[in-house]
Amino acid sequence: MILGIDTSLGTAVAVVEPDGVVRSQVASADPRGHAEVIGTLIETALAEASITPDALTHVAAGMGPGPFTGLRVGIAAARAFALGRGIPLVPVTSHDAAAIELLLHDALTGGYEDSHDDEPFAIATDARRREFAYTVYRGLDDDGLPVRIAEPALVLRDDLDGVLAAGGILRRDADHVSAAMLALVAARAVAAGREIGPADALYLRSPDVTLPGAPKKVGA
C-alpha cells in the first residue's frame, strides 16, 4: 500500500495498492496553500481508503519540477511520514506521473500515443513568471514506466513551442499532477527493483528569499 504525495502544482495525496488500484485520492488546486492543507489531505486520504498508517508500506514523493516553496512542503511531509513509520521513501519525478496518466488514457481511448507510441512528447507545466517546465518522453518501457528521453528543463513561455518544434516533439500540457499516478509509478518502480526518481528536489529556480549579509559596522 503506497501513500503518494505531490505539491509540484497544487497539493495531491492518494493511497494506491501495489497493483495500481486506487483506494483514495484527494487534492487542492490552490498553488500556494500547500502547508495549510497537506496534513488534512493526508488524514482524509487514509480515512477514505479505510486504512491506518501502519497499513502503508511505501511513501511516494513528487520531487518536481516545481517552485521552491510549494515543492518542499510535499517532500518534507513525505519524508517525515516515511521516517515516522519506518518505511521506504520512493522519489518520483512529478512529470512522470503526468506522463503515465496521459499514456494510459491514450491507450484506453485510442488517443495520440495509441498510434504514435514511438514519437516523443513533452509534458509541460506552467512554472509561472512567464516560464514553463517540460520533460520529454517516449512511450512506456517493459516495466510499464514512462521512458524519459530528456530531463526536466525550464524555458520562457513564448519560446516553448519553438524549442519543441525544433526537436519534433509534441506538446502535452498538464494542469495537475495526480498523486494516484505518482504512487502507481512508484509501485511499478518498486516491483521492478528500480530507482527512477532524483534524490534531491527539482526546484525550478532558487528561492526568492536569501540569507542576510553580514551586519553593517556602526561607526563611533
Side-chain angles (χ1 to χ4, degrees), residues 2 11 48 112 119 130 199 202 207:
I2 299 178
T11 305
E48 291 188 0
Y112 177 85
E119 296 186 23
R130 300 181 180 179
L202 299 171

Side-chain angles (χ1 to χ4, degrees), residues 60-99:
M63 305 301 286
F68 179 86
T69 302
L71 190 57
R72 67 193 181 109
V73 171
I75 295 173
R79 285 174 173 167
F81 197 101
L83 181 64
R85 281 283 303 114
I87 57 179
L89 179 80
V90 184
V92 177
T93 299
S94 298
H95 281 181
D96 285 6

Side-chain angles (χ1 to χ4, degrees), residues 170-198:
L170 178 71
R171 174 174 170 174
R172 308 286 301 265
D173 285 17
D175 60 5
H176 71 283
V177 171
S178 165
M181 293 296 101
L182 188 89
L184 174 61
V185 170
R188 291 184 174 185
V190 170
R194 293 169 55 185
E195 294 182 4
I196 60 168

Side-chain angles (χ1 to χ4, degrees), residues 49-172:
S50 299
I51 63 170
T52 56
D54 59 3
L56 296 167
T57 59
H58 299 79
V59 180
M63 305 301 286
F68 179 86
T69 302
L71 190 57
R72 67 193 181 109
V73 171
I75 295 173
R79 285 174 173 167
F81 197 101
L83 181 64
R85 281 283 303 114
I87 57 179
L89 179 80
V90 184
V92 177
T93 299
S94 298
H95 281 181
D96 285 6
I100 199 171
E101 183 172 28
L102 285 172
L103 288 165
L104 292 178
H105 178 268
D106 287 342
L108 291 172
T109 62
Y112 177 85
E113 290 299 324
D114 187 50
S115 57
H116 300 78
D117 56 4
D118 288 331
E119 296 186 23
F121 67 96
I123 293 295
T125 53
D126 188 353
R128 301 196 290 273
R129 300 186 186 178
R130 300 181 180 179
E131 293 177 313
F132 267 76
Y134 72 97
T135 308
V136 183
Y137 297 89
R138 181 185 281 120
L140 298 172
D141 63 20
D142 292 340
D143 294 321
L145 293 166
V147 178
R148 196 183 319 124
I149 60 175
E151 295 303 313
L154 191 64
V155 66
L156 291 174
R157 178 185 62 195
D158 295 340
D159 294 341
L160 177 60
D161 288 335
V163 169
L164 298 181
I169 301 166
L170 178 71
R171 174 174 170 174
R172 308 286 301 265

